[in-house]
Amino acid sequence: MPNDAMKYVDEFRDPQLAKRLLAEISAMLPSLMTGRQRPLQIMEVCGGHTHSIFRFGLNDLLPPEIEFVHGPGCPVCVLPMGRIDDCLAIANNSNVIIASFGDAMRVPGSAQSLLQARALGADIRMVYSPADALELARKNPHKEVVFFALGFETTMPGTAFTVLNAAREKIANFSVFCNHITIVSTIKAILDSPDMRLDGFLGPGHVSMIIGTKVFDFIPQDYRLPFVVAGFEPLDILQSIYMVLLQLQSKQPHVENQYSRVVQSGGSAQALSAIGEVFRLRDMFEWRGLGSINHSAVMLAPEFTKFDAEQRFSVPNISIADPKSCQCGEVLKGVIKPMECKVFGNPCTPESPLGALMVSSEGACAAYYNYGKQRMGAKRV
Amino acid sequence: MSKSPIRPLGDTINLSHGSGGRDMHRLLEQLILPTLCSGPIDDGDAASIAMAELINQGDRLAFTTDSYTITPLVFPGGDIGSLAVNGTVNDLAMSGAIPRYLSCALIIEEGFSIKALSSILQSMRTAADQANIRIIAGDTKVVHRGAADGLFINTAGIGVIPSKRQLGREHIRNDDIVIVSGFIGDHGAAVLAARDELQLAIPVDSDCQPLHVLTEALLSVCPNTRIMRDATRGGVASVLNELIADSSFGIQIMETLIPVRPVVRGACEILGLDPLYLANEGTMVAIIPEQDEQPALAAMQAQAAGVHARRIGKVTDHYPGLVSLLTQMGGERLIDIPSGELLPRIC
Ligand code: SF4
């Protein structure tokens, strides 16, 4: 990795610039807060943002009038238990190798996670890309390699290109257990829920790189809320908040692109065409914490059925409800903060998560717990 | 024929090499003993150690053991052999001991290459010579194919703790300072890069090295060193948490002071890992009184293993039992003990 790449990152972590932005944000608040009883709630849709906010301690740098609502944007967090069970059912076929991203390994199913199943003998390998999974299939012609595909539009093109490659090379022992989800219908589901109380959005930077920014136009148009596509560095996030506040001040919500060094309004034509070729929308998909959402996920298109693990193997396909005590849905919508959930920290912890948001380090509850400002506060003498 | 010629060892280890019979003797006589042992070899069931000389060096023995398993067995900057020697040498050094004697038990999987074994044993010997420790006892077992991941090594070490040295968590005081001896995360990053599945070139070598010279240098100028630990599995984050767990003090470290190589930092950014949690095999953490900071750092920096030594934080009474990090941006967050295996994020 060239040193220049890191310098590039440092530019977006300059504490002096951060101070200036924070001062400007604070200066804007009095006028925005007049007549308001509760803080401004800004949802960061993407788990990557949640991670940065906690990793750099941004939420305690910002004034208390600004509250982050940690959205549904961690694909690992929102994967329902039933899908893990389905994956394990596939893994139980002798002769199958499951290839999974690292952070999906710990997601609990109703009885086990992939990590636990691996300890009991299932052949589950960690890969860093779908291409690695295909390589596994090439190297193990006598095994069935199933790639456990998940993620928003960010990771969809990788899966799509890999399926196209597998089709071109006529690889017969490779398939995809498809759990890819789509962001737009999910945001819409949150906006339409009756207890919605958001004031603006930090739009997902990586997803937008693929799908562009125009697809979010309905948010300012139909819901009158600012939407700023944001990068992941601390200064990106602070600047994006500043842009949201400016929009609130001018009362002219629109879609803005703070992350223009990476994101183009039309997205990536090449990636979109691969996605369009390989995937079709599912009518319904179940989310952890949010229930079923129409058209919120994709499956393989009919031409690629032979690469569809759900067609190749029998899966139980049972929907398993989240435990009753879970309040993940309310956290996702900003109705309560993670530590206000009745089971936060006890018994719901990253080591034994009850709810979705405790699962991945990008989940709101796990971030609160791991980076634990309130745990520090609680113990403070 | 009057005398049977010396039969060569062959290319691979098989079960008969662990059977106690002729093949096992050949393996010991031709490869293991000559490679590992300097000086005469005891032929009894236990090595005997002369006490008088040890008593001259200190008033307590330090005794430690550790088993080493790693994939891959050879990585940039070291292999399982150097790891097995340096790891135990460092455990001794961290307790303030001068490392003296080492035992070595090998568990070898059937089918393992003799050439690879020979090179790993050679690397153990080199590491032992470097650390001035003698390998004086050992054991060799061969297990069925599939029962071990190539090769496991257990080492146990004995060292002598000079009189008056008192290290321990109970000596930690408010306002003490926390130092690290060098760049963190090199070993973890090098091993990740050396694994097949990771198609990412991270040009960094493991920091695998003995630390006894460094600990002696530190203790000579800072006899009131409170505690020392090598930041192996779980990295600096875990060690710091262990040091102040259940104590009335906490530790606050500063992101801007923590030495991380740009390549390691870059790799961590991409993989969603935190260098504070990556393993080290030749980097230590120490807590010392604040007034000793300058001489302590100067003494460490004068040693090859401590050139990049620096202060990274301090002991505070703000957050008892917790480790916090002041971020580059001025925010503060908790550094918890990692839960389970390090798993990279996807997006
Ligand atoms: S604490 Fe657990 S159950 Fe409660 S909202 Fe968070 S993840 Fe869901």
Side-chain angles (χ1 to χ4, degrees), chain A residues 325-328 331 338 341 343-344 348 354-358 365:
Chain A
S325 49
C326 284
Q327 293 180 276
C328 299
V331 172
C341 171
V343 291
F344 178 87
C348 188
L354 285 187
L357 306 178
M358 206 49 111
C365 293

